[in-house]
Amino acid sequence: MKTNTLNFTGKQYGLLPVVLIALSIFTTSNITAQVGIGTITPDASSMLDITSTDKGLLIPRMTTVQRDAIANPTAGLMVFDKETNSFWYFNTVWTEISPN
């Protein structure tokens, strides 16, 4: 009776170890839905948790023409306009975030 085996550089391996390795790769790749930068324990309610005590988040910076040229911006998209020196977000139209 012939068994299913794989041959890697002259050595015979059964399929069971290969299947177990493949399953472990696929099942461990989606264990958490959160990504942490600067932390190994991102908050469970976040998709992205950035932790730092000496650095900040840098939002994309562009001119007004570049901002207006973004094709099909999604609701909530945020940029920093270098000409108006302010943050803008998109929600059906571009809206400036004012300090008031």
Side-chain angles (χ1 to χ4, degrees):
M1 173 183 231
K2 185 174 180 178
T3 60
N4 291 330
T5 60
L6 296 177
N7 188 331
F8 294 107
T9 63
K11 295 181 181 179
Q12 296 289 331
Y13 295 94
L15 288 180
L16 183 60
V18 175
V19 170
L20 290 175
I21 291 170
L23 284 174
S24 68
I25 290 171
F26 291 120
T27 57
T28 59
S29 63
N30 290 323
I31 288 176
T32 62
Q34 296 81 25
V35 174
I37 299 175
T39 180
I40 58 170
T41 55
D43 189 277
S45 67
S46 71
M47 288 297 292
L48 175 63
D49 185 346
I50 303 171
T51 302
S52 177
T53 59
D54 63 345
K55 292 181 175 56
L57 175 66
L58 192 56
I59 301 296
R61 303 159 314 272
M62 60 189 67
T63 65
T64 304
V65 170
Q66 292 169 326
R67 183 194 74 218
D68 291 341
I70 296 174
N72 301 315
T74 190
L77 187 67
M78 181 184 223
V79 299
F80 183 82
D81 190 313
K82 296 187 294 185
E83 293 175 6
T84 63
N85 203 33
S86 59
F87 290 98
W88 291 74
Y89 71 94
F90 189 83
N91 191 20
T92 66
V93 297
W94 283 106
T95 304
E96 185 175 15
I97 300 173
S98 65
N100 297 332

